[in-house]
Amino acid sequence: MRVRRRESAAFTVVVTVLVALCAVPMAAIIGLSGGGATTVVAVVLAAVPVGPLVAAYLWLDRYEPEPRSLLALGLLWGGFVATAAALLIGGIGGLVVGITDEQSLSIVAPVTEEASKGFFLLLLLWWRRAELDGVLDGIVYAGMVGIGFAFIENILYLGAAYNGTDATGPGGVQAVTATFVVRCLFSPFAHPLFTAFTGIGVGLAVSSRSPMVRTVAPIAGYILAVLAHATWNTSTLGGFDSFAMVYFVVMVPGFLAVAALAVFVSRSERRLLTAALQDAARRGLFPASDIPYMVDLRARRESRRFAQRNGGKAGARAMAGYQQAAIELGFLHHRFLRGTAPRDFSDRGQDFVNQLQALRPQISFPGQAVSTR
């Protein structure tokens, strides 16, 4: 228990400090990249795809919602730490090695950017491993980091397009419109997609019993992320035909494949959660009668509305807390049954059981007698 709290605190402190330190130079870079009005327009345009993308990942994450604080840290890491690290490493590399702009775009950027984004997932794997239950969690966290990275990068690209400093034309409204269409409308999923491969690798490492898979999967995921990123960047050097071919032949099918995998895993979580909670109920850890209100999303929402009507805000909070503890227990118990439970499995499981026992007298489900406590 003490080790878990120490690791959780270390993760939070390290990520928060790095975000704070990197936010200052990135804000300065954004401010210096264009005038006040240009920066405001770039920020507004870059923000357009953020909401829909975040909503899509939250929808995927609906069975076992990850802590919103961690998802927010993922966004901030991608927006400030990953971008700052990629710019710093790429700039130093360019000065030391003397690489060309084409080499920087095709090789250096994919290697450094995917490393800087993927490091957040490694920190989760080292210090908050219990928050990662498998491939879907890896995809969701990778998506948040990618969204944050793309948001800041798009601000810089949009500002450069308007100012005519991106070496593609004289700038102005026409240039910024073209950049907005390509980056924010046609390919807002690019950075989340690239980093998703690292997320899949980390998710496989967490859910595997094989020591080799635990070591190789994150590395293989990172390599695939770099290859996908490099393919995308290189396509922009060959003109419209090259870009269109990679977009429709590689990027869109790749995006659909990863999206299909995420949806498949998300839907399979109901069966996984049901089986785990049934086994937990047989062991006396959880009331079997409550399982339908945990595994069925519609029943889960209806039970919260029922709690709100009968117990007000306090009742709704108790129901939400009970359901969250039960869901966390279910996924933790699943990892125990698979033999991939974290080392603090017993303490975490007992924490969830204690929460359930404390909250259960305060709630009732539709069709049950309303508690008077």
Side-chain angles (χ1 to χ4, degrees):
M1 178 74 69
R2 196 170 300 159
V3 172
R4 189 179 85 202
R5 289 174 178 162
R6 201 162 49 237
E7 290 180 344
S8 177
F11 174 87
T12 302
V13 169
V14 168
V15 173
T16 302
V17 169
L18 287 175
V19 167
L21 290 174
C22 294
V24 174
M26 289 310 303
I29 290 172
I30 291 172
L32 294 173
S33 64
T38 300
T39 300
V40 171
V41 171
V43 170
V44 171
L45 292 177
V48 169
V50 171
L53 286 172
V54 170
Y57 281 100
L58 293 180
W59 178 82
L60 286 174
D61 192 40
R62 64 199 187 280
Y63 262 107
E64 190 230 355
E66 298 304 310
R68 294 295 185 259
S69 59
L70 283 184
L71 296 179
L73 284 176
L75 282 169
L76 293 172
W77 179 280
F80 297 120
V81 181
T83 51
L87 287 173
L88 178 63
I89 296 171
I92 294 175
L95 291 174
V96 174
V97 182
I99 56 178
T100 65
D101 290 342
E102 288 77 11
Q103 291 172 330
S104 176
L105 189 65
S106 300
I107 301 173
V108 177
V111 170
T112 57
E113 290 178 10
E114 294 312 316
S116 63
K117 288 186 290 180
F119 195 67
F120 180 81
L121 296 166
L122 291 182
L123 290 177
L124 282 175
L125 191 61
W126 292 332
W127 284 335
R128 298 297 294 271
R129 191 185 189 94
E131 300 294 347
L132 294 167
D133 290 309
V135 168
L136 185 61
D137 287 352
I139 292 175
V140 169
Y141 282 114
M144 292 298 165
V145 175
I147 292 169
F149 188 97
F151 173 62
I152 298 299
E153 187 180 65
N154 284 343
I155 293 173
L156 298 174
Y157 271 92
L158 289 163
Y162 186 82
N163 293 329
T165 57
D166 60 351
T168 61
V173 174
Q174 184 175 354
V176 78
T177 300
T179 301
F180 171 75
V181 169
V182 171
R183 296 188 65 87
C184 300
L185 298 184
F186 278 86
S187 59
F189 57 84
H191 276 291
L193 173 63
F194 304 149
T195 314
F197 291 107
T198 304
I200 291 171
V202 169
L204 290 173
V206 167
S207 57
S208 175
R209 292 187 291 266
S210 168
M212 179 175 292
V213 171
R214 292 178 183 177
T215 301
V216 172
I219 298 173
Y222 168 71
I223 292 173
L224 288 175
V226 170
L227 291 176
H229 196 154
T231 301
W232 173 254
N233 282 7
T234 303
S235 72
T236 63
L237 300 173
F240 178 78
D241 290 342
S242 173
F243 172 80
M245 184 184 71
V246 170
Y247 181 82
F248 289 107
V249 176
V250 179
M251 292 295 294
V252 172
F255 167 73
L256 294 176
V258 172
L261 173 64
V263 171
F264 171 78
V265 175
S266 177
R267 290 182 175 177
S268 70
E269 286 191 337
R270 174 170 178 165
R271 297 190 298 273
L272 177 157
L273 187 59
T274 300
L277 286 178
Q278 287 174 343
D279 188 83
R282 285 193 291 270
R283 298 169 187 259
L285 303 177
F286 180 76
S289 59
D290 295 351
I291 293 176
Y293 300 100
M294 306 299 119
V295 301
D296 185 276
L297 293 176
R298 183 177 299 178
R300 194 189 293 182
R301 291 191 296 269
E302 176 55 33
S303 63
R304 292 190 183 188
R305 288 193 290 266
F306 179 81
Q308 175 78 38
R309 289 194 300 269
N310 290 280
K313 292 183 179 180
R317 283 195 300 270
M319 177 63 75
Y322 184 82
Q323 289 179 329
Q324 186 63 34
I327 293 163
E328 294 287 356
L329 176 65
F331 279 91
L332 182 65
H333 197 67
H334 167 73
R335 293 179 63 182
F336 164 73
L337 295 175
R338 279 184 52 84
T340 60
R343 61 181 181 273
D344 61 347
F345 159 77
S346 180
D347 289 338
R348 288 177 60 83
Q350 190 59 53
D351 279 351
F352 293 136
V353 171
N354 292 342
Q355 291 177 46
L356 293 171
Q357 292 175 346
L359 290 170
R360 188 62 181 88
Q362 304 174 35
I363 63 172
S364 59
F365 294 98
Q368 298 177 356
V370 179
S371 174
T372 58
R373 285 190 58 180

